[in-house]
Amino acid sequence: MSLPVRERSPRRGGGRHRRPVPTSLPPDAPVLVLVCPGGVDGVAEDIAAVVRVDNPQIELRLCTVTDLTGSLPEERDCVVVPLLVWDDPEILAEIGKAVAGHEGAVVTDALGPHPLMAEALHIRLAERGLARADRVRLLNVNSPVDAVILATLGGEQAVISAQPTAVLLAARLTLPVVAASLDSEPGVKVAAERLRAAGAERLAIAPCVLETPDDLLEQAAESIKAGHAAPLGAHGAMAELVARAYGSQLAT
């Protein structure tokens, strides 16, 4: 299996850029159990691979929600990190039931919202020519698009949960960013109508999801005549967020 292309370099040094996990851990350190709502192939496997390469000191197990109980270590503590971009209550409830009998299991929150996720979304837009790769806009106010629709999966609750990420991305792009749903209402068409009514003609969709089913993203973009970035996928920032979720539990 080939590893995904790394878009970011690990941050070294102290302060807020210190490593999320110590470079060495004791033999009885908690196991990192990375649990995904779908299959473990593809994006989930790629993210796990990057976490392992960046943090070889961590014992990592990758599993689905249905296989979680059998993946928990019997005589060790573990940190269960949901591979979610938002706190999906249904999936988190399933995870909670699966770990209920394991006293040493701690379940973290979802990976987002977080500035690293906004950074990854920014880079995905830049890869398609829908945003500048840099953040310096004081001398040149031109932009490839006028506004961005932050697309989610999971219905209205996902849209509400994506609002902080939309604010973070808007601050990076210095553009209006509106959250909308790919699979329900309020959908991208409603968001596009609002933005165009406000004078934003050139739109782009930034999918705040790890991956999208079938042609859902392409159909949404075509329906509003907008460009779209790739899903977050195995962007290096996602692997770093997994490591940070684990490291924060070590610190507590």
Side-chain angles (χ1 to χ4, degrees):
M1 179 190 70
S2 60
L3 294 179
V5 176
R6 298 296 310 280
E7 295 92 344
R8 307 176 73 252
S9 298
R11 287 169 171 164
R12 309 291 184 184
R16 67 186 182 91
H17 295 322
R18 65 184 183 275
R19 290 182 61 90
V21 181
T23 55
S24 62
L25 295 174
D28 61 346
V31 176
L32 167 55
V33 181
L34 185 60
V35 55
C36 53
V40 296
D41 298 329
V43 170
E45 188 176 31
D46 288 343
I47 291 175
V50 176
V51 175
R52 289 188 176 107
V53 169
D54 286 351
N55 304 275
Q57 73 277 28
I58 300 176
E59 180 181 337
L60 186 153
R61 301 182 184 182
L62 176 65
C63 67
T64 64
V65 177
T66 55
D67 295 331
L68 175 55
T69 301
S71 299
L72 299 174
E74 294 183 2
E75 299 180 355
R76 300 237 325 256
D77 292 343
C78 63
V79 177
V80 180
V81 179
L83 195 56
L84 300 170
V85 298
W86 65 285
D87 286 323
D88 187 317
E90 293 185 6
I91 295 176
L92 290 178
E94 292 182 38
I95 293 174
K97 292 178 182 178
V99 304
H102 195 296
E103 295 182 358
V106 176
V107 181
T108 72
D109 294 332
L111 303 181
H114 194 280
L116 283 175
M117 189 170 291
E119 178 182 330
L121 290 163
H122 184 178
I123 292 173
R124 287 290 188 242
L125 286 165
E127 289 171 346
R128 295 287 177 86
L130 299 170
R132 284 192 197 80
D134 65 272
R135 298 176 63 180
V136 179
R137 285 163 175 71
L138 297 180
L139 300 180
N140 186 349
V141 297
N142 293 328
S143 173
V145 298
D146 302 318
V148 173
I149 297 173
L150 187 71
T152 67
L153 288 171
E156 184 178 1
Q157 185 59 48
V159 174
I160 294 172
S161 298
Q163 295 295 346
T165 303
V167 172
L168 291 169
L169 183 59
R172 291 186 63 91
L173 300 175
T174 62
L175 292 172
V177 178
V178 175
S181 178
L182 283 170
D183 58 353
S184 67
E185 296 299 331
V188 296
K189 287 187 178 180
V190 173
E193 290 172 358
R194 286 175 50 196
L195 289 169
R196 287 188 168 126
E201 292 297 328
R202 302 168 300 164
L203 305 180
I205 297 177
C208 190
V209 295
L210 295 176
E211 51 189 335
T212 55
D214 302 327
D215 298 327
L216 187 61
L217 178 57
E218 288 76 9
Q219 292 170 0
E222 177 61 27
S223 71
I224 61 171
K225 305 302 179 185
H228 70 84
L232 288 165
H235 188 282
M238 308 312 295
E240 184 171 341
L241 286 172
V242 170
R244 284 174 177 266
Y246 174 83
S248 67
Q249 292 303 315
L250 294 185
T252 59

